[in-house]
Amino acid sequence: MLEHFCECYSDLSGPILCPVLGSITPLFIPNSRIRLIRLIGLCASFITFLYSPVPRIQFDPSTAKSQFVESLRWLPYENINFFLGIDGISLFFVILTTFLIPICILVGWSGMRSYGKEYITASLIREFLMIAVFRMLDLLLFYVFPESVPIPMLCGAEHLLFAGIKLFLCRGLVQ
């Protein structure tokens, strides 16, 4: 059964779409149902974690080329394509990312009382962006996604000065 599943598997967009769907779902749930919101966020991140190591089964470590390449013509008049692929190092970074996000959600579990919906949504959007960073092969999107990762961290910043300092520190550490 597992071999049949691996033969059918050529989809890298599943671990990218799961956090997106998980971040949209809590937006339709009232803030009073915080337990359900937390559970949906944790389940979405855990499903993404379970889904992420599947390419490792068929991965060929003897080649340095990107594997499981998917292509979609996104903006054909500008010759911008949506290329997804995976290589040896990005495979483990995706697994590490999907392992850490459920832990981050569990760490903030008890502190999610007033802004739980925003915390879950920001965590799942950040997971989507980090997975997209490691899977993108298109140069334009490879530049856009890393620059977008700090944005969910700024959500919920009460003061603009504090948000600017957080962004400055984050960009300073990256560069």
Side-chain angles (χ1 to χ4, degrees):
M1 173 106 176
L2 183 63
E3 292 172 10
H4 179 337
F5 178 73
C6 292
E7 287 176 38
C8 298
Y9 186 83
S10 65
D11 182 29
L12 291 181
S13 55
I16 292 176
L17 293 177
C18 190
V20 171
L21 295 175
S23 65
I24 292 172
T25 307
L27 299 177
F28 300 105
I29 300 172
N31 284 334
S32 60
R33 310 240 1 228
I34 189 66
R35 187 178 183 126
L36 179 63
I37 292 170
R38 290 187 292 197
L39 194 60
I40 288 172
L42 185 63
C43 285
S45 64
F46 190 68
I47 289 169
T48 307
F49 171 64
L50 292 177
Y51 195 46
S52 65
V54 173
R56 177 68 180 106
I57 298 168
Q58 286 186 326
F59 189 78
D60 180 19
S62 65
T63 181
K65 292 182 179 179
S66 295
Q67 299 177 28
F68 309 109
V69 176
E70 292 181 12
S71 175
L72 174 69
R73 293 193 54 85
W74 187 38
L75 298 173
Y77 53 88
E78 294 291 331
N79 199 19
I80 296 175
N81 299 319
F82 190 75
F83 280 116
L84 289 176
I86 199 162
D87 59 3
I89 202 159
S90 65
L91 175 71
F92 291 106
F93 278 140
V94 168
I95 294 171
L96 179 66
T97 299
T98 58
F99 174 72
L100 289 176
I101 292 296
I103 292 173
C104 292
I105 290 175
L106 286 173
V107 165
W109 192 267
S110 62
M112 285 187 256
R113 288 195 171 70
S114 57
Y115 293 108
K117 185 187 295 188
E118 292 82 2
Y119 180 80
I120 292 295
T121 303
S123 295
L124 291 175
I125 289 173
R126 189 173 356 149
E127 182 177 24
F128 151 70
L129 291 170
M130 287 189 289
I131 292 171
V133 164
F134 298 126
R135 299 253 169 119
M136 281 300 141
L137 298 178
D138 182 47
L139 186 61
L140 177 69
L141 293 177
F142 185 75
Y143 177 74
V144 168
F145 280 113
E147 295 297 323
S148 303
V149 170
I151 293 173
M153 291 177 8
L154 298 177
C155 297
E158 297 169 2
H159 303 289
L160 225 43
L161 179 63
F162 180 66
I165 291 172
K166 278 175 68 175
L167 182 62
F168 176 74
L169 289 175
C170 179
R171 296 305 304 154
L173 291 176
V174 171
Q175 295 174 355

